[in-house]
PDB file of all heavy atoms in Angstrom:
ATOM      1  N   LEU Y 155      10.669  69.559  -2.478  1.00 62.00           N
ATOM      2  CA  LEU Y 155      11.355  68.650  -3.395  1.00 62.00           C
ATOM      3  C   LEU Y 155      12.675  68.183  -2.825  1.00 62.00           C
ATOM      4  O   LEU Y 155      13.009  66.992  -2.856  1.00 62.00           O
ATOM      5  CB  LEU Y 155      11.569  69.336  -4.743  1.00 62.00           C
ATOM      6  CG  LEU Y 155      12.382  68.555  -5.776  1.00 62.00           C
ATOM      7  CD1 LEU Y 155      11.664  67.268  -6.156  1.00 62.00           C
ATOM      8  CD2 LEU Y 155      12.651  69.396  -7.016  1.00 62.00           C
ATOM      9  N   ILE Y 156      13.461  69.107  -2.275  1.00 64.00           N
ATOM     10  CA  ILE Y 156      14.764  68.746  -1.708  1.00 64.00           C
ATOM     11  C   ILE Y 156      14.592  67.793  -0.531  1.00 64.00           C
ATOM     12  O   ILE Y 156      15.349  66.824  -0.366  1.00 64.00           O
ATOM     13  CB  ILE Y 156      15.532  70.022  -1.284  1.00 64.00           C
ATOM     14  CG1 ILE Y 156      15.873  70.855  -2.531  1.00 64.00           C
ATOM     15  CG2 ILE Y 156      16.792  69.662  -0.513  1.00 64.00           C
ATOM     16  CD1 ILE Y 156      16.499  72.190  -2.202  1.00 64.00           C
ATOM     17  N   ASN Y 157      13.591  68.066   0.324  1.00 69.00           N
ATOM     18  CA  ASN Y 157      13.326  67.174   1.471  1.00 69.00           C
ATOM     19  C   ASN Y 157      12.931  65.778   1.009  1.00 69.00           C
ATOM     20  O   ASN Y 157      13.352  64.769   1.595  1.00 69.00           O
ATOM     21  CB  ASN Y 157      12.244  67.764   2.363  1.00 69.00           C
ATOM     22  CG  ASN Y 157      12.718  68.999   3.121  1.00 69.00           C
ATOM     23  OD1 ASN Y 157      13.909  69.164   3.362  1.00 69.00           O
ATOM     24  ND2 ASN Y 157      11.788  69.862   3.486  1.00 69.00           N
ATOM     25  N   GLU Y 158      12.107  65.720  -0.039  1.00 63.00           N
ATOM     26  CA  GLU Y 158      11.696  64.414  -0.564  1.00 63.00           C
ATOM     27  C   GLU Y 158      12.894  63.655  -1.132  1.00 63.00           C
ATOM     28  O   GLU Y 158      12.996  62.428  -0.988  1.00 63.00           O
ATOM     29  CB  GLU Y 158      10.626  64.607  -1.654  1.00 63.00           C
ATOM     30  CG  GLU Y 158       9.299  65.111  -1.146  1.00 63.00           C
ATOM     31  CD  GLU Y 158       8.619  64.114  -0.225  1.00 63.00           C
ATOM     32  OE1 GLU Y 158       8.806  62.890  -0.429  1.00 63.00           O
ATOM     33  OE2 GLU Y 158       7.924  64.560   0.706  1.00 63.00           O
ATOM     34  N   VAL Y 159      13.796  64.380  -1.791  1.00 63.00           N
ATOM     35  CA  VAL Y 159      15.005  63.742  -2.322  1.00 63.00           C
ATOM     36  C   VAL Y 159      15.852  63.177  -1.184  1.00 63.00           C
ATOM     37  O   VAL Y 159      16.360  62.043  -1.257  1.00 63.00           O
ATOM     38  CB  VAL Y 159      15.818  64.747  -3.166  1.00 63.00           C
ATOM     39  CG1 VAL Y 159      17.180  64.149  -3.532  1.00 63.00           C
ATOM     40  CG2 VAL Y 159      15.071  65.132  -4.425  1.00 63.00           C
ATOM     41  N   ARG Y 160      15.992  63.926  -0.112  1.00 66.00           N
ATOM     42  CA  ARG Y 160      16.804  63.456   1.016  1.00 66.00           C
ATOM     43  C   ARG Y 160      16.170  62.248   1.684  1.00 66.00           C
ATOM     44  O   ARG Y 160      16.873  61.294   2.062  1.00 66.00           O
ATOM     45  CB  ARG Y 160      16.944  64.606   2.032  1.00 66.00           C
ATOM     46  CG  ARG Y 160      17.840  65.732   1.554  1.00 66.00           C
ATOM     47  CD  ARG Y 160      17.836  66.901   2.513  1.00 66.00           C
ATOM     48  NE  ARG Y 160      18.736  67.965   2.069  1.00 66.00           N
ATOM     49  CZ  ARG Y 160      18.825  69.158   2.658  1.00 66.00           C
ATOM     50  NH1 ARG Y 160      18.056  69.434   3.709  1.00 66.00           N
ATOM     51  NH2 ARG Y 160      19.660  70.070   2.182  1.00 66.00           N
ATOM     52  N   LYS Y 161      14.850  62.255   1.820  1.00 68.00           N
ATOM     53  CA  LYS Y 161      14.177  61.094   2.408  1.00 68.00           C
ATOM     54  C   LYS Y 161      14.357  59.855   1.542  1.00 68.00           C
ATOM     55  O   LYS Y 161      14.641  58.765   2.042  1.00 68.00           O
ATOM     56  CB  LYS Y 161      12.683  61.394   2.586  1.00 68.00           C
ATOM     57  CG  LYS Y 161      12.372  62.428   3.662  1.00 68.00           C
ATOM     58  CD  LYS Y 161      10.859  62.664   3.732  1.00 68.00           C
ATOM     59  CE  LYS Y 161      10.525  63.729   4.774  1.00 68.00           C
ATOM     60  NZ  LYS Y 161       9.062  63.990   4.840  1.00 68.00           N
ATOM     61  N   ALA Y 162      14.164  60.034   0.234  1.00 62.00           N
ATOM     62  CA  ALA Y 162      14.314  58.900  -0.667  1.00 62.00           C
ATOM     63  C   ALA Y 162      15.738  58.379  -0.670  1.00 62.00           C
ATOM     64  O   ALA Y 162      15.971  57.166  -0.721  1.00 62.00           O
ATOM     65  CB  ALA Y 162      13.877  59.308  -2.089  1.00 62.00           C
ATOM     66  N   GLN Y 163      16.719  59.272  -0.618  1.00 60.00           N
ATOM     67  CA  GLN Y 163      18.102  58.857  -0.611  1.00 60.00           C
ATOM     68  C   GLN Y 163      18.460  58.123   0.671  1.00 60.00           C
ATOM     69  O   GLN Y 163      19.186  57.119   0.669  1.00 60.00           O
ATOM     70  CB  GLN Y 163      19.022  60.075  -0.773  1.00 60.00           C
ATOM     71  CG  GLN Y 163      20.496  59.737  -0.981  1.00 60.00           C
ATOM     72  CD  GLN Y 163      20.741  58.987  -2.281  1.00 60.00           C
ATOM     73  OE1 GLN Y 163      20.430  59.464  -3.350  1.00 60.00           O
ATOM     74  NE2 GLN Y 163      21.282  57.763  -2.185  1.00 60.00           N
ATOM     75  N   ALA Y 164      17.927  58.604   1.808  1.00 64.00           N
ATOM     76  CA  ALA Y 164      18.190  57.941   3.085  1.00 64.00           C
ATOM     77  C   ALA Y 164      17.600  56.536   3.113  1.00 64.00           C
ATOM     78  O   ALA Y 164      18.223  55.582   3.597  1.00 64.00           O
ATOM     79  CB  ALA Y 164      17.615  58.771   4.229  1.00 64.00           C
ATOM     80  N   ALA Y 165      16.374  56.405   2.566  1.00 64.00           N
ATOM     81  CA  ALA Y 165      15.750  55.084   2.507  1.00 64.00           C
ATOM     82  C   ALA Y 165      16.522  54.148   1.578  1.00 64.00           C
ATOM     83  O   ALA Y 165      16.665  52.946   1.850  1.00 64.00           O
ATOM     84  CB  ALA Y 165      14.311  55.209   2.062  1.00 64.00           C
ATOM     85  N   ALA Y 166      17.017  54.709   0.474  1.00 57.00           N
ATOM     86  CA  ALA Y 166      17.786  53.890  -0.480  1.00 57.00           C
ATOM     87  C   ALA Y 166      19.123  53.462   0.109  1.00 57.00           C
ATOM     88  O   ALA Y 166      19.590  52.340  -0.139  1.00 57.00           O
ATOM     89  CB  ALA Y 166      18.001  54.658  -1.778  1.00 57.00           C
ATOM     90  N   ASP Y 167      19.736  54.313   0.908  1.00 59.00           N
ATOM     91  CA  ASP Y 167      21.012  53.965   1.524  1.00 59.00           C
ATOM     92  C   ASP Y 167      20.888  52.763   2.471  1.00 59.00           C
ATOM     93  O   ASP Y 167      21.813  51.952   2.597  1.00 59.00           O
ATOM     94  CB  ASP Y 167      21.583  55.163   2.281  1.00 59.00           C
ATOM     95  CG  ASP Y 167      22.038  56.270   1.336  1.00 59.00           C
ATOM     96  OD1 ASP Y 167      22.231  55.971   0.145  1.00 59.00           O
ATOM     97  OD2 ASP Y 167      22.181  57.439   1.789  1.00 59.00           O
ATOM     98  N   LYS Y 168      19.735  52.673   3.123  1.00 60.00           N
ATOM     99  CA  LYS Y 168      19.534  51.574   4.063  1.00 60.00           C
ATOM    100  C   LYS Y 168      19.317  50.240   3.362  1.00 60.00           C
ATOM    101  O   LYS Y 168      19.485  49.181   3.967  1.00 60.00           O
ATOM    102  CB  LYS Y 168      18.342  51.891   4.972  1.00 60.00           C
ATOM    103  CG  LYS Y 168      18.571  53.079   5.888  1.00 60.00           C
ATOM    104  CD  LYS Y 168      17.334  53.339   6.749  1.00 60.00           C
ATOM    105  CE  LYS Y 168      17.549  54.556   7.661  1.00 60.00           C
ATOM    106  NZ  LYS Y 168      16.339  54.834   8.493  1.00 60.00           N
ATOM    107  N   ALA Y 169      18.890  50.288   2.121  1.00 58.00           N
ATOM    108  CA  ALA Y 169      18.563  49.050   1.398  1.00 58.00           C
ATOM    109  C   ALA Y 169      19.382  48.931   0.115  1.00 58.00           C
ATOM    110  O   ALA Y 169      18.887  48.470  -0.916  1.00 58.00           O
ATOM    111  CB  ALA Y 169      17.082  48.998   1.087  1.00 58.00           C
ATOM    112  N   GLN Y 170      20.656  49.329   0.190  1.00 55.00           N
ATOM    113  CA  GLN Y 170      21.476  49.335  -1.023  1.00 55.00           C
ATOM    114  C   GLN Y 170      21.719  47.931  -1.578  1.00 55.00           C
ATOM    115  O   GLN Y 170      21.702  47.720  -2.796  1.00 55.00           O
ATOM    116  CB  GLN Y 170      22.815  50.028  -0.738  1.00 55.00           C
ATOM    117  CG  GLN Y 170      22.723  51.544  -0.726  1.00 55.00           C
ATOM    118  CD  GLN Y 170      24.089  52.196  -0.649  1.00 55.00           C
ATOM    119  OE1 GLN Y 170      25.091  51.554  -0.309  1.00 55.00           O
ATOM    120  NE2 GLN Y 170      24.135  53.486  -0.954  1.00 55.00           N
ATOM    121  N   ASP Y 171      21.954  46.959  -0.693  1.00 54.00           N
ATOM    122  CA  ASP Y 171      22.224  45.615  -1.179  1.00 54.00           C
ATOM    123  C   ASP Y 171      21.004  45.029  -1.899  1.00 54.00           C
ATOM    124  O   ASP Y 171      21.129  44.413  -2.962  1.00 54.00           O
ATOM    125  CB  ASP Y 171      22.621  44.708  -0.005  1.00 54.00           C
ATOM    126  CG  ASP Y 171      23.999  45.040   0.527  1.00 54.00           C
ATOM    127  OD1 ASP Y 171      24.834  45.530  -0.274  1.00 54.00           O
ATOM    128  OD2 ASP Y 171      24.255  44.827   1.717  1.00 54.00           O
ATOM    129  N   LYS Y 172      19.830  45.234  -1.310  1.00 58.00           N
ATOM    130  CA  LYS Y 172      18.604  44.732  -1.930  1.00 58.00           C
ATOM    131  C   LYS Y 172      18.355  45.440  -3.269  1.00 58.00           C
ATOM    132  O   LYS Y 172      17.970  44.803  -4.259  1.00 58.00           O
ATOM    133  CB  LYS Y 172      17.424  44.941  -0.982  1.00 58.00           C
ATOM    134  CG  LYS Y 172      16.112  44.418  -1.528  1.00 58.00           C
ATOM    135  CD  LYS Y 172      14.980  44.644  -0.528  1.00 58.00           C
ATOM    136  CE  LYS Y 172      13.651  44.153  -1.099  1.00 58.00           C
ATOM    137  NZ  LYS Y 172      12.523  44.386  -0.158  1.00 58.00           N
ATOM    138  N   ILE Y 173      18.583  46.743  -3.275  1.00 55.00           N
ATOM    139  CA  ILE Y 173      18.386  47.524  -4.515  1.00 55.00           C
ATOM    140  C   ILE Y 173      19.339  47.040  -5.591  1.00 55.00           C
ATOM    141  O   ILE Y 173      18.966  46.904  -6.761  1.00 55.00           O
ATOM    142  CB  ILE Y 173      18.582  49.025  -4.234  1.00 55.00           C
ATOM    143  CG1 ILE Y 173      17.429  49.530  -3.341  1.00 55.00           C
ATOM    144  CG2 ILE Y 173      18.637  49.811  -5.528  1.00 55.00           C
ATOM    145  CD1 ILE Y 173      17.621  50.960  -2.884  1.00 55.00           C
ATOM    146  N   LEU Y 174      20.595  46.786  -5.220  1.00 55.00           N
ATOM    147  CA  LEU Y 174      21.577  46.330  -6.197  1.00 55.00           C
ATOM    148  C   LEU Y 174      21.185  44.966  -6.777  1.00 55.00           C
ATOM    149  O   LEU Y 174      21.284  44.740  -7.991  1.00 55.00           O
ATOM    150  CB  LEU Y 174      22.960  46.251  -5.551  1.00 55.00           C
ATOM    151  CG  LEU Y 174      24.089  45.723  -6.447  1.00 55.00           C
ATOM    152  CD1 LEU Y 174      24.248  46.599  -7.682  1.00 55.00           C
ATOM    153  CD2 LEU Y 174      25.406  45.640  -5.662  1.00 55.00           C
ATOM    154  N   ASP Y 175      20.733  44.056  -5.908  1.00 57.00           N
ATOM    155  CA  ASP Y 175      20.330  42.740  -6.401  1.00 57.00           C
ATOM    156  C   ASP Y 175      19.164  42.858  -7.386  1.00 57.00           C
ATOM    157  O   ASP Y 175      19.155  42.209  -8.444  1.00 57.00           O
ATOM    158  CB  ASP Y 175      19.937  41.847  -5.215  1.00 57.00           C
ATOM    159  CG  ASP Y 175      21.138  41.489  -4.354  1.00 57.00           C
ATOM    160  OD1 ASP Y 175      22.271  41.572  -4.875  1.00 57.00           O
ATOM    161  OD2 ASP Y 175      20.934  41.164  -3.164  1.00 57.00           O
ATOM    162  N   GLU Y 176      18.180  43.710  -7.053  1.00 59.00           N
ATOM    163  CA  GLU Y 176      17.048  43.887  -7.942  1.00 59.00           C
ATOM    164  C   GLU Y 176      17.475  44.558  -9.245  1.00 59.00           C
ATOM    165  O   GLU Y 176      16.986  44.226 -10.335  1.00 59.00           O
ATOM    166  CB  GLU Y 176      15.958  44.709  -7.259  1.00 59.00           C
ATOM    167  CG  GLU Y 176      15.317  44.004  -6.068  1.00 59.00           C
ATOM    168  CD  GLU Y 176      14.306  44.879  -5.372  1.00 59.00           C
ATOM    169  OE1 GLU Y 176      14.203  46.078  -5.757  1.00 59.00           O
ATOM    170  OE2 GLU Y 176      13.613  44.394  -4.453  1.00 59.00           O
ATOM    171  N   PHE Y 177      18.405  45.489  -9.128  1.00 58.00           N
ATOM    172  CA  PHE Y 177      18.891  46.191 -10.327  1.00 58.00           C
ATOM    173  C   PHE Y 177      19.607  45.224 -11.264  1.00 58.00           C
ATOM    174  O   PHE Y 177      19.401  45.254 -12.480  1.00 58.00           O
ATOM    175  CB  PHE Y 177      19.827  47.334  -9.913  1.00 58.00           C
ATOM    176  CG  PHE Y 177      20.397  48.107 -11.060  1.00 58.00           C
ATOM    177  CD1 PHE Y 177      19.678  49.131 -11.663  1.00 58.00           C
ATOM    178  CD2 PHE Y 177      21.660  47.798 -11.564  1.00 58.00           C
ATOM    179  CE1 PHE Y 177      20.206  49.842 -12.729  1.00 58.00           C
ATOM    180  CE2 PHE Y 177      22.188  48.501 -12.632  1.00 58.00           C
ATOM    181  CZ  PHE Y 177      21.447  49.531 -13.219  1.00 58.00           C
ATOM    182  N   LEU Y 178      20.435  44.376 -10.710  1.00 58.00           N
ATOM    183  CA  LEU Y 178      21.175  43.418 -11.554  1.00 58.00           C
ATOM    184  C   LEU Y 178      20.237  42.383 -12.170  1.00 58.00           C
ATOM    185  O   LEU Y 178      20.491  41.899 -13.281  1.00 58.00           O
ATOM    186  CB  LEU Y 178      22.257  42.722 -10.709  1.00 58.00           C
ATOM    187  CG  LEU Y 178      23.397  43.627 -10.228  1.00 58.00           C
ATOM    188  CD1 LEU Y 178      24.362  42.842  -9.350  1.00 58.00           C
ATOM    189  CD2 LEU Y 178      24.131  44.258 -11.399  1.00 58.00           C
ATOM    190  N   ARG Y 179      19.165  42.029 -11.455  1.00 54.00           N
ATOM    191  CA  ARG Y 179      18.194  41.112 -12.061  1.00 54.00           C
ATOM    192  C   ARG Y 179      17.464  41.752 -13.230  1.00 54.00           C
ATOM    193  O   ARG Y 179      17.139  41.099 -14.215  1.00 54.00           O
ATOM    194  CB  ARG Y 179      17.180  40.672 -10.992  1.00 54.00           C
ATOM    195  CG  ARG Y 179      17.688  39.566 -10.075  1.00 54.00           C
ATOM    196  CD  ARG Y 179      16.532  38.874  -9.365  1.00 54.00           C
ATOM    197  NE  ARG Y 179      15.798  39.789  -8.515  1.00 54.00           N
ATOM    198  CZ  ARG Y 179      16.080  40.009  -7.225  1.00 54.00           C
ATOM    199  NH1 ARG Y 179      17.089  39.352  -6.662  1.00 54.00           N
ATOM    200  NH2 ARG Y 179      15.371  40.844  -6.514  1.00 54.00           N
ATOM    201  N   ASP Y 180      17.222  43.090 -13.118  1.00 59.00           N
ATOM    202  CA  ASP Y 180      16.554  43.812 -14.196  1.00 59.00           C
ATOM    203  C   ASP Y 180      17.495  44.109 -15.364  1.00 59.00           C
ATOM    204  O   ASP Y 180      17.034  44.425 -16.456  1.00 59.00           O
ATOM    205  CB  ASP Y 180      15.956  45.120 -13.675  1.00 59.00           C
ATOM    206  CG  ASP Y 180      14.835  44.873 -12.681  1.00 59.00           C
ATOM    207  OD1 ASP Y 180      14.236  43.782 -12.715  1.00 59.00           O
ATOM    208  OD2 ASP Y 180      14.580  45.780 -11.846  1.00 59.00           O
ATOM    209  N   HIS Y 181      18.811  44.053 -15.111  1.00 57.00           N
ATOM    210  CA  HIS Y 181      19.814  44.352 -16.155  1.00 57.00           C
ATOM    211  C   HIS Y 181      20.819  43.213 -16.235  1.00 57.00           C
ATOM    212  O   HIS Y 181      21.999  43.382 -15.875  1.00 57.00           O
ATOM    213  CB  HIS Y 181      20.507  45.685 -15.870  1.00 57.00           C
ATOM    214  CG  HIS Y 181      19.588  46.864 -15.785  1.00 57.00           C
ATOM    215  ND1 HIS Y 181      18.863  47.154 -14.647  1.00 57.00           N
ATOM    216  CD2 HIS Y 181      19.255  47.804 -16.706  1.00 57.00           C
ATOM    217  CE1 HIS Y 181      18.143  48.239 -14.854  1.00 57.00           C
ATOM    218  NE2 HIS Y 181      18.364  48.654 -16.094  1.00 57.00           N
ATOM    219  N   PRO Y 182      20.400  42.060 -16.676  1.00 58.00           N
ATOM    220  CA  PRO Y 182      21.341  40.912 -16.722  1.00 58.00           C
ATOM    221  C   PRO Y 182      22.479  41.100 -17.717  1.00 58.00           C
ATOM    222  O   PRO Y 182      23.496  40.442 -17.615  1.00 58.00           O
ATOM    223  CB  PRO Y 182      20.436  39.746 -17.129  1.00 58.00           C
ATOM    224  CG  PRO Y 182      19.293  40.383 -17.863  1.00 58.00           C
ATOM    225  CD  PRO Y 182      19.070  41.704 -17.176  1.00 58.00           C
ATOM    226  N   GLU Y 183      22.304  42.047 -18.662  1.00 51.00           N
ATOM    227  CA  GLU Y 183      23.338  42.214 -19.678  1.00 51.00           C
ATOM    228  C   GLU Y 183      24.626  42.811 -19.118  1.00 51.00           C
ATOM    229  O   GLU Y 183      25.695  42.716 -19.742  1.00 51.00           O
ATOM    230  CB  GLU Y 183      22.818  43.100 -20.810  1.00 51.00           C
ATOM    231  CG  GLU Y 183      22.638  44.574 -20.468  1.00 51.00           C
ATOM    232  CD  GLU Y 183      21.335  44.842 -19.723  1.00 51.00           C
ATOM    233  OE1 GLU Y 183      20.578  43.877 -19.479  1.00 51.00           O
ATOM    234  OE2 GLU Y 183      21.074  46.020 -19.396  1.00 51.00           O
TER     235      GLU Y 183
END
């Protein structure tokens, strides 16, 4: 579980700008 969390976090760190844009589109409020 800890290894999976680290992998997911590393992948998310590389795509933070894309993730933020998608997050803001999903939460326009």
Side-chain angles (χ1 to χ4, degrees):
L155 175 63
I156 294 174
N157 289 335
E158 292 295 328
V159 171
R160 290 174 178 173
K161 290 179 182 179
Q163 188 64 59
D167 290 342
K168 294 180 181 179
Q170 281 188 344
D171 288 332
K172 181 180 179 181
I173 292 173
L174 177 59
D175 292 338
E176 293 177 354
F177 179 83
L178 293 177
R179 280 198 298 270
D180 295 336
H181 301 80
E183 71 279 0

